[in-house]
Amino acid sequence: MVPHPPAASLDRLITQVIEPGLCVACGACLGLCPHLLFLDGRVAAPDPCGLEQGRCVELCPVAARPSPAVPAAGPLGKVKAAYAARAKSPDLQTKAQYGGVVSTLTALALAEGLVGEAILTAPGHRGIPQGVRAKTRDQVLASAGSIYAGGGALRELNQALSEDAGHPLALVGLPCQALAAARMKTHERYPSAAERIALSIGLFCTMNLPGRELRALLHQHDIRGPVERSDFPPPPAGIFQVWSEGQYHELPLEEVRAIRYPGCAGCPDLTAEAADISVGACEGREGWNTVLARSGPGEALINLATNLELIELEPAAESSLEHLSAAADAKRQRAEQEQNRA
Ligand SMILES: Cc1cc2nc3c(=O)[nH]c(=O)nc-3n(C[C@H](O)[C@H](O)[C@H](O)COP(=O)(O)OP(=O)(O)OC[C@H]3O[C@@H](n4cnc5c(N)ncnc54)[C@H](O)[C@@H]3O)c2cc1C
Ligand code: SF4
Ligand code: SF4
């Protein structure tokens, strides 16, 4: 029998992830070659590519899922220190999603020269989020707040890594994006990633939404203007909150959950375990973040922000960490069921 030639990387990405509709628009496969495009919040592969060992499928967080087993370090992964924190600056308190810790730490890393650019996500054409490259505090502030749609920001990270420049880079991204960035750093054929990705700030994430479907759902609810702010308040609220053109709207959570990326169902990571610092909401404390320092550089940046009085910091409450751990376990269990089913 004549053996089959090995399938090209792009073919594997298409058959395992893109065609089954499992792509979560992280962007890790984008910006590496001309064969993959990002259109209206979705990845498209218009041209064939014969490369057997392309990085696209090797970096994809969906093509190779992290294990849903509880890590040896515990349900939140490796944590050096856990805090409740918020930014002190009034401009951040008004613009940020919760406590503004992400934007504060990103702006500080730029100001101190720890990184020369930060890869963030900001609203783009028709509200579809897109990756942006920030060099100043003002640019960081322009990206503050959460957009509940996939923006493919790792395309900008790949683009920055392809340029003939030496400055270190920071990434702010969802757990799947932090995982893909960690894979870039250890990939044998991606030396610039190991050299230049210096900081990864991860956001807690339960699910994300495809921008086009979100837009259609908003239209069904007569929300046609730009979304100024949106949020999933914690259970038992059961709603998705949207502020648009000065009006406040509530959408039933089940309608929003019905349009989430199918690929999010098999994702076991709530708290961005591959990041240097992970940040999410702080249960029961409006305007505050839960912050997990995971690496030495991550902990040092948090300490610097505290010493410079840019953030207010307290040890995380035991009860808050217990609830977060339970939520992380629940996400792992749902992912395990999905991975076994698939
Ligand atoms: C899709 C999504 C799901 C989330 N789910 C949860 C959850 O289940 N539980 C929880 O506690 N927190 C969740 N968060 C995180 C939370 O909303 C905040 O991002 C986090 O607490 C940081 O708050 P902050 O005030 O410090 O952020 P800010 O200082 O306002 O900074 C927010 C940062 O988020 C980045 N960002 C915005 N939209 C996106 C996007 N679509 N993709 C990647 N990066 C983005 C921006 O670049 C910005 O740097 C989610 C966020 C997103 C985008
Ligand atoms: S999940 Fe990310 S890496 Fe995988 S196909 Fe989608 S955009 Fe590309
Ligand atoms: S649930 Fe997982 S795969 Fe989906 S957007 Fe969040 S981190 Fe990415």
Side-chain angles (χ1 to χ4, degrees), residues 34-107:
H35 301 287
L36 282 157
L37 304 174
F38 196 51
L39 301 168
D40 201 13
R42 286 196 179 274
V43 171
D47 301 317
C49 155
L51 205 61
E52 279 167 23
Q53 283 198 309
R55 285 171 293 179
C56 57
V57 73
E58 292 164 1
L59 299 176
C60 174
V62 176
R65 290 282 197 194
S67 164
V70 178
L76 302 179
K78 187 177 151 200
V79 176
K80 289 170 85 74
Y83 309 101
R86 66 175 173 181
K88 287 194 166 179
S89 160
D91 58 352
L92 268 165
Q93 283 173 0
T94 47
K95 283 215 73 187
Q97 184 67 12
Y98 296 132
V101 170
V102 167
S103 296
T104 304
L105 295 178
T106 309

Side-chain angles (χ1 to χ4, degrees), residues 92 95-103 120-121 129 143-151 172-174 177 203-208 270 279-281 289:
L92 268 165
K95 283 215 73 187
Q97 184 67 12
Y98 296 132
V101 170
V102 167
S103 296
L120 309 172
T121 298
S143 298
S146 293
I147 313 167
Y148 293 94
V172 173
L174 299 168
Q177 294 177 313
L203 311 171
F204 297 0
C205 179
T206 311
M207 64 173 169
N208 203 3
L270 174 72
V279 185
N289 291 116

Side-chain angles (χ1 to χ4, degrees), residues 11 41 53 79 101-102 107 112 131 152 161 169 176 187 191 217 221 237 256 259 282 288 294 322:
D11 290 346
Q53 283 198 309
V79 176
V101 170
V102 167
E112 291 289 315
L161 289 169
L169 300 166
C176 53
H187 196 290
L217 183 64
H221 285 264
V256 179
I259 61 159
C282 186
W288 285 71
R294 298 189 181 277
E322 277 167 20

Side-chain angles (χ1 to χ4, degrees), residues 55-255:
R55 285 171 293 179
C56 57
V57 73
E58 292 164 1
L59 299 176
C60 174
V62 176
R65 290 282 197 194
S67 164
V70 178
L76 302 179
K78 187 177 151 200
V79 176
K80 289 170 85 74
Y83 309 101
R86 66 175 173 181
K88 287 194 166 179
S89 160
D91 58 352
L92 268 165
Q93 283 173 0
T94 47
K95 283 215 73 187
Q97 184 67 12
Y98 296 132
V101 170
V102 167
S103 296
T104 304
L105 295 178
T106 309
L108 178 60
L110 286 165
E112 291 289 315
L114 303 173
V115 298
E117 270 185 294
I119 311 299
L120 309 172
T121 298
H125 179 58
R126 307 185 74 195
I128 297 278
Q130 61 183 17
V132 294
R133 296 167 63 171
K135 289 186 174 174
T136 65
R137 185 178 188 277
D138 283 351
Q139 289 167 343
V140 172
L141 244 82
S143 298
S146 293
I147 313 167
Y148 293 94
L154 294 180
R155 175 177 58 174
E156 271 60 37
L157 182 59
N158 282 325
Q159 175 63 44
L161 289 169
S162 74
E163 292 167 4
D164 191 14
H167 57 262
L169 300 166
L171 167 73
V172 173
L174 299 168
C176 53
Q177 294 177 313
L179 173 68
R183 284 187 182 161
M184 289 177 191
K185 283 179 75 167
T186 54
H187 196 290
E188 59 182 354
R189 295 191 310 284
Y190 214 165
S192 59
E195 280 159 25
R196 294 186 58 205
I197 302 175
L199 177 70
S200 159
I201 301 181
L203 311 171
F204 297 0
C205 179
T206 311
M207 64 173 169
N208 203 3
L209 312 171
R212 202 187 306 168
E213 282 78 351
L214 175 60
R215 201 163 60 223
L217 183 64
L218 294 173
H219 282 186
Q220 281 172 29
H221 285 264
D222 251 349
I223 307 167
R224 290 173 193 279
V227 172
E228 283 125 29
R229 179 177 159 75
S230 54
D231 196 11
F232 287 103
I239 53 167
F240 180 55
Q241 301 173 306
V242 179
W243 288 260
S244 173
E245 297 182 315
Q247 301 282 312
Y248 169 71
H249 308 263
E250 288 181 3
L251 275 60
L253 185 58
E254 60 271 20
E255 283 187 31

Side-chain angles (χ1 to χ4, degrees), residues 67-79 204 268-274 278 292 294 318 320-333:
S67 164
V70 178
L76 302 179
K78 187 177 151 200
V79 176
F204 297 0
D269 186 0
L270 174 72
T271 61
E273 291 168 32
S278 300
L292 307 176
R294 298 189 181 277
E318 218 35 64
S320 162
L321 289 179
E322 277 167 20
H323 286 152
L324 185 60
S325 299
D329 276 341
K331 190 175 179 195
R332 274 182 217 292
Q333 281 164 17

